[in-house]
Amino acid sequence: MPSGPQFNGLVYHNPVNPDEIVCDLCESWTVSRDGKTYTFRLRQAEWHDGKPVTAEDIKFSLDRIVEPGAIRVRTGVLRTFYEHGSAQVIDPRTVRVPINFASPLFLVNLASEYMKMYPKHVAQGPSADDAQKPGKLIGSGPWKLKEFKPNISIEYVRNTNYFKKGLPYFDGMIFTIVRDYNRRVAAFPSSVIAGMFHFEEEQYFEVDAAPRGRATPPGKPAAAAQ
């Protein structure tokens, strides 16, 4: 999750209307009459090294997700719909993706936060092994990695060449890695941090009850949380 801001998906859930699936790296898509072939037209986007995002990158990423024999805990569901190697590159900005059967759940799963697109020239290049290490693999997202300190912090700076004009809204952000649960509970109400995840259930209620608490405990409507 903390590495997610570096990357884009092909599609994603609309942040202001999460029930709606909209384009992320794509600018549009069409579906065949039988519902079994999706054709995506890509935006003019760039990877963080300045190289363009192409249909080859999308095909590579989809094939990487469903790679036979690879362990894919979060993204393995895509294998239900997409067969390895079946996507077709029509031109540098158009990719055709056949699926095994017509289902609206294909787009729902493709829009998952975990279905990130990777740069083929980096992830499959001469330095591919090094590129897979934490902090090494580049993306196309709104945030560029500034510094990664294992077990301490992840710092990002704004991607000034981001293809979504005007985004992101601020200049940088830091994920501070706090491994101790009690320290997390102490830090949250103090306004030192804006948000966090991986609480134990009882700690949600403890934080929410504290002065200026802003947690949303399980089962409690978000609108009721401060």
Side-chain angles (χ1 to χ4, degrees):
M1 290 180 182
S3 66
Q6 297 180 76
F7 303 98
N8 291 100
L10 189 54
V11 295
Y12 75 142
H13 292 275
N14 185 345
V16 297
N17 181 18
D19 290 336
E20 179 186 16
I21 295 174
V22 296
C23 276
D24 198 3
L25 276 173
C26 72
E27 67 178 17
S28 64
W29 75 79
T30 59
V31 187
S32 62
R33 290 176 64 90
D34 64 2
K36 295 174 64 175
T37 303
Y38 287 73
T39 302
F40 296 92
R41 180 68 176 170
L42 303 182
R43 302 179 192 261
Q44 290 184 317
E46 292 182 351
W47 301 109
H48 291 164
D49 62 1
K51 294 185 181 298
V53 176
T54 69
E56 285 285 355
D57 295 313
I58 305 305
K59 174 178 169 56
F60 167 78
S61 297
L62 294 174
D63 287 340
R64 186 180 186 277
I65 290 171
V66 300
E67 183 180 353
I71 298 174
R72 298 287 186 259
V73 176
R74 301 286 189 179
T75 59
V77 67
L78 196 64
R79 293 183 173 119
T80 304
F81 305 96
Y82 174 70
E83 182 178 344
H84 184 272
S86 62
Q88 297 174 289
V89 172
I90 306 304
D91 62 46
R93 291 180 55 201
T94 309
V95 59
R96 183 175 296 148
V97 182
I99 59 176
N100 296 325
F101 54 91
S103 172
L105 292 178
F106 168 64
L107 278 184
V108 172
N109 284 283
L110 191 62
S112 163
E113 178 67 15
Y114 297 98
M115 302 288 185
K116 301 299 189 184
M117 300 295 108
Y118 286 178
K120 180 179 179 179
H121 68 280
V122 175
Q124 202 180 50
S127 302
D129 289 342
D130 185 59
Q132 303 297 329
K133 295 177 181 178
K136 296 293 185 179
L137 187 56
I138 64 170
S140 58
W143 299 100
K144 301 175 73 170
L145 185 68
K146 179 179 179 180
E147 187 176 28
F148 172 60
K149 298 178 181 178
N151 296 317
I152 299 175
S153 64
I154 304 171
E155 184 173 0
Y156 290 105
V157 294
R158 186 176 187 269
N159 179 6
T160 56
N161 292 320
Y162 192 44
F163 61 90
K164 296 180 183 180
K165 299 303 181 184
L167 297 178
Y169 295 122
F170 46 99
D171 294 327
M173 61 179 176
I174 299 175
F175 285 86
T176 300
I177 301 170
V178 181
R179 301 176 66 87
D180 180 77
Y181 279 120
N182 292 323
R183 290 182 62 198
R184 297 183 198 182
V185 173
F188 196 58
S190 69
S191 297
V192 173
I193 54 179
M196 64 173 65
F197 51 88
H198 292 325
F199 270 161
E200 297 291 350
E201 182 172 343
E202 65 272 13
Q203 290 173 329
Y204 278 104
F205 292 100
E206 183 179 344
V207 170
D208 188 54
R212 303 173 68 184
R214 295 177 302 281
T216 302
K220 183 176 182 179
Q226 296 179 356

